[in-house]
Amino acid sequence: MAREHKYRGRRTNDGQWIYGFFCQWQSRSYICPDPNESGFHGGQIMRFEIDGWFLVDPTTVGESTGIKDKDGKEIIYEGDKVEFWISAPWDEQIPVKVKGEVCWESDGFWVRSYDGLSRLSDWDELEVIGSIHDKETPQ
């Protein structure tokens, strides 16, 4: 069974995250949280009406991976920052916490870390710690 494609993006008017269906129309990006209002039918847009759609910053749009975090609560999205544990390269008995970013490559979702790329599905203890779109505060 194919997974449902859902997206998130930051609304342009207040910067809040909005989740749902994604559409680009007349050079603008929109997300509609209510599938009954979206105009989607069978994976295609049958109609587009501006009511119910929120204008979003296209640089913040990310697709849902369909994978939940380590607690099974939060769905992981493209652009999320995650933490996970690996065995230290110098000693497999020593766990090392690694941070990475969820990204899309041509064949699926991956985690990009200092260690390179690894398939997102290879990790079962991922914790979402933020988004690449969150403003960093100086240390």
Side-chain angles (χ1 to χ4, degrees):
M1 182 176 180
R3 69 181 176 82
E4 189 173 22
H5 294 274
K6 289 195 175 181
Y7 295 82
R8 74 169 180 198
R10 286 197 187 269
R11 296 191 308 201
T12 57
N13 63 342
D14 62 8
Q16 296 297 308
W17 286 111
I18 189 85
Y19 299 81
F21 297 95
F22 174 69
C23 177
Q24 286 186 307
W25 186 64
Q26 293 187 351
S27 301
R28 292 185 177 189
S29 298
Y30 297 89
I31 290 182
C32 179
D34 184 353
N36 296 322
E37 297 293 325
S38 68
F40 279 99
H41 179 71
Q44 295 185 10
I45 295 178
M46 303 306 288
R47 63 180 166 75
F48 182 83
E49 297 172 10
I50 204 69
D51 293 340
W53 289 83
F54 293 89
L55 187 61
V56 295
D57 177 349
T59 65
T60 66
V61 173
E63 186 175 355
S64 165
T65 65
I67 297 173
K68 294 187 178 188
D69 71 359
K70 70 178 186 147
D71 299 321
K73 294 180 183 174
E74 187 173 350
I75 297 285
I76 299 172
Y77 281 81
E78 178 183 9
D80 277 344
K81 291 181 182 179
V82 293
E83 282 185 337
F84 53 99
W85 293 91
I86 64 170
S87 296
W90 59 89
D91 185 343
E92 289 186 10
Q93 301 301 315
I94 300 174
V96 177
K97 190 178 268 192
V98 176
K99 294 180 182 180
E101 297 173 2
V102 177
C103 61
W104 172 262
E105 294 293 323
S106 61
D107 59 348
F109 289 102
W110 294 75
V111 176
R112 181 180 294 121
S113 67
Y114 78 91
D115 205 23
L117 285 173
S118 58
R119 284 204 174 276
L120 180 64
S121 57
D122 290 346
W123 305 102
D124 56 0
E125 290 293 313
L126 290 166
E127 180 179 358
V128 176
I129 58 170
S131 167
I132 61 172
H133 307 293
D134 294 339
K135 292 186 175 157
E136 299 280 335
T137 53
Q139 301 285 351

